[in-house]
Amino acid sequence: MDTHFFNEKEVERKWYLIDANQQVLGRLANQIATILIGKNKPEFTPNADVGDFVIVINAEKVRVSGNKEKDFIYYNHSGYAGGLKKTPLFRMRERKPEYMLRKAVWGMIKHSPLGRKRFKKLNVYASTRHPHAAQNPIPLDVNHNIQGV
């Protein structure tokens, strides 16, 4: 009996809704990356995009452990001499709370054309409002194990 490798057309995609309220940033990003890659499905194939879509709400209320709120710094460089910009996490939470979660998930996905395709299925919103009601997203409790959702 041969192993069947699924391709992207054979897999049924689902939409999941995750509430990030009072969730730890790194643990939440790990679970989101697992769903985007498709490792929670029995049809998982490493070289095909078989993951599901993820909608994250309340990104501004995600929490971090330890002293990261004041010590963690996001770096951005313009490409010009002296163009390094440093933004602490508490200031990033005020300006772009979606960026924190997107950056954490991006760090957990391979940086390849397939990884970029998987990452496009992530939708992050700072508040509880989102425009994806027509997709009928399944609410997902990330406090429990996500294997087999």
Side-chain angles (χ1 to χ4, degrees):
M1 181 173 190
D2 292 336
T3 302
H4 179 67
F5 290 102
F6 289 85
N7 63 21
E8 298 162 13
K9 297 171 188 147
E10 297 175 333
V11 177
E12 178 188 346
R13 308 239 186 225
K14 295 180 182 174
W15 286 75
Y16 291 108
L17 178 67
I18 296 177
D19 188 3
N21 189 10
Q22 295 303 312
Q23 299 293 326
V24 179
L25 177 63
R27 294 175 187 266
L28 180 64
N30 184 10
Q31 293 178 343
I32 291 170
T34 302
I35 295 171
L36 291 174
I37 294 169
K39 283 195 167 187
N40 60 325
K41 301 170 109 176
E43 301 92 15
F44 172 66
T45 305
N47 60 345
D49 183 19
V50 296
D52 295 320
F53 292 87
V54 177
I55 304 164
V56 182
I57 57 174
N58 287 329
E60 63 189 3
K61 296 179 183 174
V62 72
R63 65 185 179 98
V64 291
S65 58
N67 293 328
K68 292 185 193 89
E69 190 73 36
K70 60 179 177 161
D71 292 343
F72 191 85
I73 296 179
Y74 290 97
Y75 295 96
N76 188 18
H77 200 283
S78 67
Y80 292 96
L84 181 65
K85 294 180 183 178
K86 301 175 187 176
T87 308
L89 191 137
F90 71 88
R91 186 139 315 124
M92 186 65 76
R93 183 186 303 273
E94 295 169 1
R95 294 182 185 165
K96 293 190 280 186
E98 304 92 0
Y99 180 80
M100 296 185 325
L101 193 57
R102 292 182 65 83
K103 177 90 170 154
V105 172
W106 175 243
M108 297 183 183
I109 294 178
K110 287 192 176 194
H111 300 84
S112 65
L114 180 60
R116 288 189 289 275
K117 189 173 184 181
R118 289 172 172 165
F119 188 69
K120 287 179 184 177
K121 294 183 298 188
L122 174 64
N123 301 291
V124 182
Y125 300 100
S127 64
T128 57
R129 301 185 67 207
H130 64 87
H132 303 286
Q135 281 75 24
N136 296 324
I138 302 166
L140 187 63
D141 185 14
V142 292
N143 291 329
H144 295 68
N145 193 359
I146 63 166
Q147 298 296 330
V149 289

